[in-house]
């Protein structure tokens, strides 16, 4: 079992590095802000001051200039109940806001903090892991790591198709078939992905 960055033990859902200092990379460039402003699902929560891209910005919680820095350790995780109605689940919805605003690293961190509390082989666990991997795929695609992005997309999509076999769509507000299509289009050079999600 691999040791997670937050001190938990288990399998990390994506495998992004957690380097304390930004690496110098010719592939690193800022993620552009969306044109217009997507409607926030959690409007009272502020967005981070920058979109973390490895090799470009200070690591959010390991670097002293990171936007989540406290003492260099990972943020403490609070428990989460998978049975929380999605329309009232502020932490889940904030992850959606981060994704829609192209904070892909931050979105995967927000959802990963919930994923740890979902029972394995359940649809909440599958959904969160797939969202985490889609966020990572978008980030890797931006950085030019196309093969890694495609692998993450394939794994996440296979898991989402399992959900489609047993759940009505939308599931937790997300139109899963449309999400799969948007991610596929993005990795083929199409628009930046957003979640096709009902308003809470």
């Amino acid at each position: 079992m691999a040791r997670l960055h937050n001190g938990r033990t288990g399998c990390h859902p994506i495998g992004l590095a957690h380097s304390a200092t930004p690496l110098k990379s010719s592939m690193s460039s800022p993620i552009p802000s969306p044109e217009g402003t997507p409607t926030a699902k959690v409007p009272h929560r502020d967005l981070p001051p920058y979109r973390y891209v490895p090799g470009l910005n200070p690591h959010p919680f390991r670097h002293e200039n990171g936007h989540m820095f406290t003492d260099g350790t990972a943020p403490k995780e609070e428990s989460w109940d998978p049975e929380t109605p999605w329309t009232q689940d502020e932490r889940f919805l904030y992850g959606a806001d981060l994704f829609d605003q192209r904070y892909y690293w931050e979105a995967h961190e927000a959802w990963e903090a919930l994923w740890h509390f979902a029972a394995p082989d359940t649809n909440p666990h599958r959904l969160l892991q797939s969202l985490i991997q889609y966020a990572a795929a978008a980030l890797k695609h931006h950085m030019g790591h196309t093969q890694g992005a495609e692998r993450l997309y394939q794994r996440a999509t296979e898991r989402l198709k399992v959900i489609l076999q047993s759940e009505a769509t939308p599931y937790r507000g997300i139109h899963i078939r449309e999400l799969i299509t948007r991610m596929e289009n993005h990795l083929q050079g199409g628009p930046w992905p957003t979640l096709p999600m009902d308003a809470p």
Side-chain angles (χ1 to χ4, degrees), residues 31-199:
I31 296 173
S33 301
E35 295 181 6
T37 304
T39 302
K41 298 168 181 63
V42 189
H44 64 273
R45 290 198 62 175
D46 293 333
L47 296 169
Y50 61 84
R51 295 167 176 84
Y52 176 59
V53 176
L56 180 67
N57 313 110
H59 187 279
F61 61 73
R62 298 212 183 278
H63 192 281
E64 62 182 5
N65 294 323
H67 63 62
M68 296 167 61
F69 181 81
T70 53
D71 59 3
T73 60
K76 184 179 180 181
E77 291 183 351
E78 300 177 6
S79 63
W80 174 73
D81 182 0
E83 298 301 318
T84 303
W86 72 269
T87 55
Q88 303 169 29
D89 193 342
E90 182 174 309
R91 293 168 67 192
F92 176 73
L93 293 171
Y94 184 60
D97 281 344
L98 290 167
F99 187 91
D100 284 350
Q101 292 278 359
R102 304 179 188 168
Y103 290 86
Y104 297 120
W105 185 92
E106 292 80 1
H108 93 62
E109 284 291 304
W111 284 324
E112 187 178 336
L114 311 183
W115 175 79
H116 294 141
F117 294 97
D121 299 321
T122 63
N123 284 339
H125 190 272
R126 292 184 183 100
L127 177 66
L128 286 166
Q129 188 168 359
S130 297
L131 292 174
I132 289 165
Q133 290 182 323
Y134 272 1
L139 180 56
K140 284 183 177 290
H141 178 71
H142 169 72
M143 296 174 66
H145 302 163
T146 55
Q147 291 184 345
E150 181 65 24
R151 284 194 296 269
L152 287 166
Y153 165 76
Q154 293 294 342
R155 292 171 189 164
T157 299
E158 289 173 8
R159 203 175 295 108
L160 290 175
K161 289 179 178 178
V162 173
I163 296 176
L164 287 172
Q165 293 173 1
S166 60
E167 299 282 356
T169 188
Y171 176 62
R172 289 189 66 85
I174 297 175
H175 297 260
I176 291 178
R177 290 184 179 86
E178 175 62 20
L179 174 59
I180 292 171
T181 298
R182 290 186 185 187
M183 278 302 304
E184 180 181 18
N185 289 342
H186 175 62
L187 296 183
Q188 293 177 354
W192 293 89
T194 57
L195 291 180
M197 191 172 188
D198 293 341

